[in-house]
Amino acid sequence: MGAVRALIRNESRTMAGLWLYLGRRKDGIDGDAVAVPYGSGGKPIFIVLAVVSAFEAGLFWLIDFGLVVDILLLVLGVYSALLVFGVYAGTVVRPHVISSRELRVRYSSFYDVRIPRENIVALRHLKESHDPAKAKAFRDETWLRHDNFYETNLVAELREPITVTRPLGATETVRVVKFQADDPKAAVEAYERLGVS
């Protein structure tokens, strides 16, 4: 039952991300917080998936399954296109966040991991490509948040392990977080600047 509840929560956050996107607002950027965008390289994939979903809905409409089934398939097709666009919108409105208090590593509506600054040994720029056949999101207390073609370019090393909640509710304990940002050098500069008191 927990997985179903998590799935419903993720879908409602995805739809909320659409409203934020349409309102040109970002979530969680307040005080001295700096937004760290990610995933710009994945934008074409989201556009293709949304168009394919909409096209698929139109194709089903051409086949006569009966009025009720046709309407149901059309609604499901439009909803799936909205979900795909909502995931993309979530990557825009929920960027990673660096502040004087914490580092937030996020991915759309699926992940939002808060790491207090005092628990971070270092945040450094290190570009790595991970073999898709071998890469696992959680391995050897390392979390690979690899949304962009199995590449990461930032590494946060932690003093104490933290718990990361997966999208469907399972948890993992990690000491190293590897993730991706559009401009990793600017992210490290912001982290260092905001760490000076």
Side-chain angles (χ1 to χ4, degrees):
M1 188 63 178
V4 172
R5 195 167 34 247
L7 186 64
I8 292 168
R9 182 195 68 223
N10 289 341
E11 289 199 15
S12 64
R13 285 181 183 171
T14 297
M15 291 304 174
L18 274 175
W19 288 114
L20 288 171
Y21 184 82
L22 293 173
R24 297 177 184 258
R25 293 176 299 181
K26 293 201 184 324
D27 174 56
I29 312 299
D30 56 1
D32 64 358
V34 174
V36 179
Y38 58 88
S40 64
K43 182 178 180 181
I45 294 170
F46 283 114
I47 292 171
V48 167
L49 287 173
V51 168
V52 167
S53 294
F55 183 72
E56 182 182 55
L59 283 180
F60 279 129
W61 188 255
L62 295 175
I63 302 171
D64 186 18
F65 291 111
L67 184 61
V68 173
V69 174
D70 285 345
I71 290 173
L72 180 63
L73 288 172
L74 181 64
V75 167
L76 287 174
V78 170
Y79 184 70
S80 66
L82 282 174
L83 276 179
V84 169
F85 186 67
V87 172
Y88 165 71
T91 66
V92 174
V93 302
R94 295 184 181 100
H96 304 311
V97 179
I98 295 173
S99 72
S100 58
R101 302 172 309 281
E102 65 184 359
L103 166 66
R104 287 176 78 176
V105 179
R106 308 199 280 184
Y107 182 67
S108 192
S109 58
F110 304 112
Y111 287 104
D112 188 355
V113 177
R114 294 172 178 255
I115 308 169
R117 281 192 75 113
E118 59 269 16
N119 193 23
I120 301 173
V121 175
L123 177 68
R124 47 194 177 87
H125 173 215
L126 177 64
K127 186 172 183 177
E128 294 180 296
S129 292
H130 306 281
D131 181 352
K134 296 178 183 175
K136 291 187 178 176
F138 300 91
R139 173 183 275 170
D140 301 327
E141 294 192 319
T142 298
W143 175 35
L144 298 178
R145 231 274 301 123
H146 50 68
D147 59 287
N148 190 25
F149 308 110
Y150 289 90
E151 290 184 356
T152 58
N153 55 24
L154 288 168
V155 179
E157 297 174 14
L158 311 180
R159 294 181 202 289
E160 299 293 330
I162 60 167
T163 300
V164 175
T165 303
R166 292 179 182 233
L168 294 180
T171 59
E172 299 284 347
T173 301
V174 298
R175 280 186 179 272
V176 177
V177 176
K178 296 183 178 183
F179 59 107
Q180 192 266 345
D182 293 344
D183 188 347
K185 290 180 181 175
V188 172
E189 288 170 6
Y191 175 80
E192 290 172 352
R193 184 181 70 250
L194 290 168
V196 176
S197 48

